[in-house]
Amino acid sequence: MALLVDIFGYLSVILHGFVIVTQSMTLGGLLFLMLLLHPLSPRLPQGDVLEQRVVRLTRWSAWGLLLSELATTALQVSVLMSTVDLSFANVMQASFAVAGSIKILCALAIALGLGRRSMAQPLPRVLLLLVGLLELVAATATTHAYARLDHNALLMAVEGLHQFGAAIWIGAIPCFVLVLRHLQDTDGLTLVGARFSRMSMIGVACILLSGITMWIFYVGDVQGFYGTAYGVMVGAKVAMFIGLLGLGLGNFLVTERLRKGANASVIRLRRFAEVEIGIGFTIFFAAASLTSVPPAVDLTTDRVSLHEIAERNAPAWPRLSSPDHDTLAISQLQTQLDREAARDHQVAQSATTPGSGVIPPRNAEDIAWSEYNHHWAGIFVLLIGFMALLGRAGAGWAKHWPLLFLAMAGFLLIRSDPEVWPLGQEGWWIAWRDVEVAQHRFFVLLIILFGAFEWSVRTGRLKSERAAMVFPLLVAVGGAMLLTHSHQISNVKDQMLIELTHTPLALAGVAAGWARWLELRLPGRGGRIAGYVWPACFMLIGVILLWYREA
Amino acid sequence: MQLNHRVAIAILALAVSINASAHAILTDSTPKPNGSVPAGHLALMLKYNSKIDQARSRLILIAPDKSETPLAITANTGKPNELDSAADLKPGAYTIRWQALALDGHITRGDLPFTVTAAP
Ligand SMILES: [Cu+2]
């Protein structure tokens, strides 16, 4: 079990992300039903059918919440049972297990209780809302607030408000998109749109109010913001939140025009709302990885100073020649171990044990190796963005740009983990236990998939509309994954400085993915603009990668 | 042969102890990280930035000969963010390998290396 420590840490972040997504969708669905759809449905054509659709979506979200919470709790319980040698009964009394059980029961109650009959009467509706509230209270017991030394009550209230705001706004958007898809009538659209705007504003207000309070108690000051992993992650959340506000404002303007009886693009409303779901869920995964780092106020040593950031990011020429593989720290340690073993006539030990939680040694050559990889990747991505722009402007040959992704995938597969096959002595399969290796391979797979799909789409080999969606979705997911990407480097400051460059990369990736999505799905001027935005994001990614330094 | 290898392992172990990139972090301790204390009966204290579930956390003492002994944690509701224990130690290089369960359910682990010197 101890061997799987880092896999466990990463897996728990991902599972936690799913818990936040499904919880927000469940609570958001309940609130959307009780505050919007049910009161309005008598005035909507086919209101009853719409209500049933949203009920079904919310029920599925509740099942999702049940499963992801069950998985999270089971993982934590089993890790605790095996590492601290405690009985199942004992671990189940720990506060996180109690809170987890309550969340699971609440999800079950919503999944089973929500239906046509319970929606028809006031008492069951109120009861369902109360179950949702109970779930929210249990959820706050698994946030930082519960374990803080001071101000527990205030911070718990604030965390509750934050999750409520996320639910009523982002969590309810899937319901909104569902309704928009099936509602053709303009009066109905105006009614739903106007009320949803008002609900989102309440949500935004809750998020702002709680966000500012949490900033004061968890981030503290400006240096806590730029100098710690927690602060940088908060920064990423804020950036995406601003993006969401922009999209929300766009939608607000559309509904206002509709309300005044003017002509407005309902399709834009729908497409923007789709993108809001994507960015919103990315924020949820960023929030999940926030729970795995200590709040900035607590990290008083090992902070990065502005000077260090400036020094690290001072312009430097990209590194286009690689150091020799034999000069890397692990190679050298292995050579030494081999020599000792040969002398003593023993079988040589392996210099690294993947997944043991022990951080591999690094020397200057390792840093050069990694920088070389990032810089070449930057050249690839810059070229891809540039060719895509040319293609957009009309150059026919440039449509083959996705093939560059395949070349890049091959390059990364061989080079990103030098201690692993084919360059290193570590076997292909055993290395999966190392999170960083697993993540890199996952990225390579992503790159191959999106290169292959996009090339087939561009050259007309794949004609389905869905196939075209694969590329933007994978780019957006890749960006989101990068927010949870971890580099195993022993020095907290170095890790932070690397994170500082990875976060803009992730944000640009998320923006590129959703801009491409808009280009495909939004007809007219909006889509055309988006068609220039995403290659620009790619080129920006390329430049950041070329700028990347580890020392 | 083992000397070089041991040095390597010691460096690696140290590297892990610095990597405090998870939720509960050590804010103070007796002994201090990489500090030294005189031999004899030692009170051990690890203080964190958040409230800890003392009954479900663990301290393991790694002796100079690499043998591992679990330490009994003293329940102390007055100090919700501490793990307290005690041990009789002879001179040598020790490590306390800790695993803390914060009340919010986050599990963190780390190493606290220190040296015990001969009693004055
Ligand atoms: Cu990287």
Side-chain angles (χ1 to χ4, degrees), chain A residues 26-361:
Chain A
T26 307
L27 300 181
L30 279 182
L31 291 164
F32 190 86
L33 278 168
M34 310 302 177
L35 302 179
L36 190 151
L37 199 53
H38 188 73
L40 291 183
S41 81
R43 295 157 68 189
L44 299 174
Q46 299 172 311
D48 204 36
V49 179
L50 278 178
E51 206 175 306
Q52 285 317 304
R53 284 184 193 274
V54 176
V55 161
R56 210 177 308 142
L57 175 66
T58 308
R59 261 202 318 250
W60 278 114
S61 311
W63 286 117
L65 173 59
L66 189 150
L67 278 181
S68 42
E69 183 62 40
L70 191 66
T72 308
T73 312
L75 184 68
Q76 272 171 303
V77 166
S78 55
V79 166
L80 219 51
M81 281 173 65
S82 61
T83 54
V84 190
D85 207 18
L86 293 168
S87 70
F88 178 72
N90 181 316
V91 173
M92 286 312 287
Q93 289 164 39
S95 51
F96 80 87
V98 173
S101 309
I102 294 174
K103 286 165 84 175
I104 290 170
L105 288 177
C106 289
L108 186 68
I110 294 169
L112 295 179
L114 188 62
R116 191 185 285 270
R117 259 188 299 165
S118 58
M119 283 306 294
Q121 289 152 18
L123 182 66
R125 287 205 302 271
V126 172
L127 281 178
L128 279 169
L129 274 182
L130 285 178
V131 173
L133 185 68
L134 180 62
E135 198 280 340
L136 191 63
V137 172
T140 57
T142 54
T143 59
H144 283 322
Y146 192 65
R148 295 305 284 172
L149 292 171
D150 310 300
H151 310 291
N152 288 97
L154 170 72
L155 287 173
M156 297 241 328
V158 164
E159 295 258 20
L161 192 66
H162 205 64
Q163 296 183 62
F164 175 79
I168 198 171
W169 181 20
I170 299 166
I173 297 177
C175 304
F176 183 53
V177 171
L178 189 63
V179 168
L180 287 181
R181 199 164 77 199
H182 294 281
L183 201 61
Q184 307 299 338
D185 144 270
T186 315
D187 290 338
L189 279 172
T190 312
L191 270 179
V192 172
R195 187 167 294 198
F196 188 72
S197 282
R198 234 166 308 145
M199 275 173 63
S200 335
M201 282 179 214
I202 296 173
V204 171
C206 293
I207 291 175
L208 267 179
L209 188 68
S210 52
I212 291 168
T213 317
M214 290 206 277
W215 206 92
I216 295 168
F217 282 94
Y218 291 152
V219 180
D221 53 10
V222 180
Q223 210 209 346
F225 175 63
Y226 64 75
T228 66
Y230 189 94
V232 171
M233 201 63 86
V234 167
K237 278 182 76 183
V238 170
M240 289 187 283
F241 176 75
I242 291 171
L244 276 188
L245 279 183
L247 291 166
L249 179 69
N251 281 353
F252 174 75
L253 294 177
V254 171
T255 49
E256 280 302 293
R257 284 177 66 85
L258 283 176
R259 217 157 57 89
K260 288 181 188 125
N263 204 11
S265 164
V266 179
I267 189 92
R268 198 181 88 187
L269 196 67
R270 278 173 59 185
R271 298 305 175 233
F272 274 21
E274 286 166 9
V275 174
E276 281 183 83
I277 297 177
I279 297 178
F281 285 8
T282 311
I283 296 185
F284 289 158
F285 277 87
S289 55
L290 261 185
T291 63
S292 69
V293 290
V297 278
D298 295 336
L299 197 75
T300 44
T301 56
D302 288 327
R303 284 184 175 191
V304 176
S305 71
L306 270 186
H307 177 71
E308 283 166 309
I309 295 174
E311 217 172 32
R312 176 62 63 89
N313 292 296
W317 197 247
R319 203 185 278 275
L320 299 177
S321 64
S322 168
D324 200 18
H325 185 265
D326 294 339
T327 60
L328 301 182
I330 287 178
S331 299
Q332 293 198 320
L333 184 59
Q334 188 68 56
T335 317
Q336 190 190 353
L337 290 175
D338 289 346
R339 211 182 305 131
E340 283 168 3
R343 201 179 57 213
D344 301 336
H345 305 288
Q346 285 174 340
V347 179
Q349 277 164 304
S350 183
T352 51
T353 314
S356 58
V358 175
I359 294 166

Side-chain angles (χ1 to χ4, degrees), chain A residues 374 440 482 485 487 502 548:
Chain A
H374 282 84
H440 287 157
L482 205 55
H485 176 67
H487 275 261
H502 275 58
Y548 175 85

Side-chain angles (χ1 to χ4, degrees), chain A residues 370 374 436 440 443 482 485-487 498 502 505 545 548 550:
Chain A
S370 171
H374 282 84
E436 204 178 333
H440 287 157
F443 273 113
L482 205 55
H485 176 67
S486 68
H487 275 261
I498 290 175
H502 275 58
L505 282 180
L545 282 172
Y548 175 85
E550 279 183 24

